[in-house]
Amino acid sequence: NAGVTQTPKFRVLKTGQSMTLLCAQDMNHEYMYWYRQDPGMGLRLIHYSVGEGTTAKGEVPDGYNVSRLKKQNFLLGLESAAPSQTSVYFCASRVGHHTDTQYFGPGTRLTVL
Amino acid sequence: GESVGLHLPTLSVQEGDNSIINCAYSNSASDYFIWYKQESGKGPQFIIDIRSNMDKRQGQRVTVLLNKTVKHLSLQIAATQPGDSAVYFCAETYITGANSKLTFGKGITLSVRP
């Protein structure tokens, strides 16, 4: 049972490039989340999903898109990367509506030059 | 707006001593609280949680205390070990169900002196 995994672990992009971050969980959790973590800002919610085929905006959704085509995967896309998107990105999953605990992946460190 | 914050940015303790990490929350409607531990280069790891109908909950070497009167949450770590060195976050939510979202504090660094 690997829990929540994220790929890639590190990535450097040039301004304007696009990329997709992959989050996978093998715990059959219904809900999944994408956060960014910046120094002094704590964790901020980008987008989340309450089930396969559904997504919703979080606190800081601009510049990102997400998809949840399969229950176990949650993809975060950057269509045109900007230096302001330099951050560490964390994915999390949650069993379902009856519990609030979220379990996190190891993170992806993204640098946009 | 509502926020969850921590009183101190860093805490240094002697190995073997007990650690107390404090957290203040401003939303009196919050009904669920979690403590996470984040080691360098890793994702947040669940430590312990507590619901608002409880004042205290104990885990292995950790205890969470909730004081709803003053909106204060604390994490106590007994016999602190070098492996406890990390950043600790409190998080809270006041919405249950599908749209439940956690609001995180900025984190406090615990440094354990040998």
Side-chain angles (χ1 to χ4, degrees), chain A residues 28-84:
Chain A
N28 201 35
H29 286 181
E30 289 293 330
Y31 301 167
M32 297 185 74
Y33 304 81
W34 275 108
Y35 293 89
R36 60 178 291 172
Q37 186 177 43
D38 303 293
M41 300 292 291
L43 286 158
R44 292 184 291 170
L45 182 64
I46 304 172
H47 286 280
Y48 65 102
S49 168
V50 300
E52 181 179 323
T54 72
T55 63
K57 294 180 179 180
E59 180 186 354
V60 288
D62 294 341
Y64 305 94
N65 57 76
V66 288
S67 63
R68 183 104 181 266
L69 299 179
K70 295 182 179 180
K71 185 177 183 179
Q72 64 268 33
N73 296 335
F74 195 27
L75 279 63
L76 178 71
L78 285 73
E79 293 181 343
S80 180
S84 61

Side-chain angles (χ1 to χ4, degrees), chain B residues 71-93:
Chain B
K71 291 182 285 188
H72 184 267
L73 187 72
S74 68
L75 176 70
Q76 300 179 357
I77 303 174
T80 311
Q81 303 169 358
D84 295 326
S85 293
V87 176
Y88 289 81
F89 296 92
C90 62
E92 56 91 15
T93 184

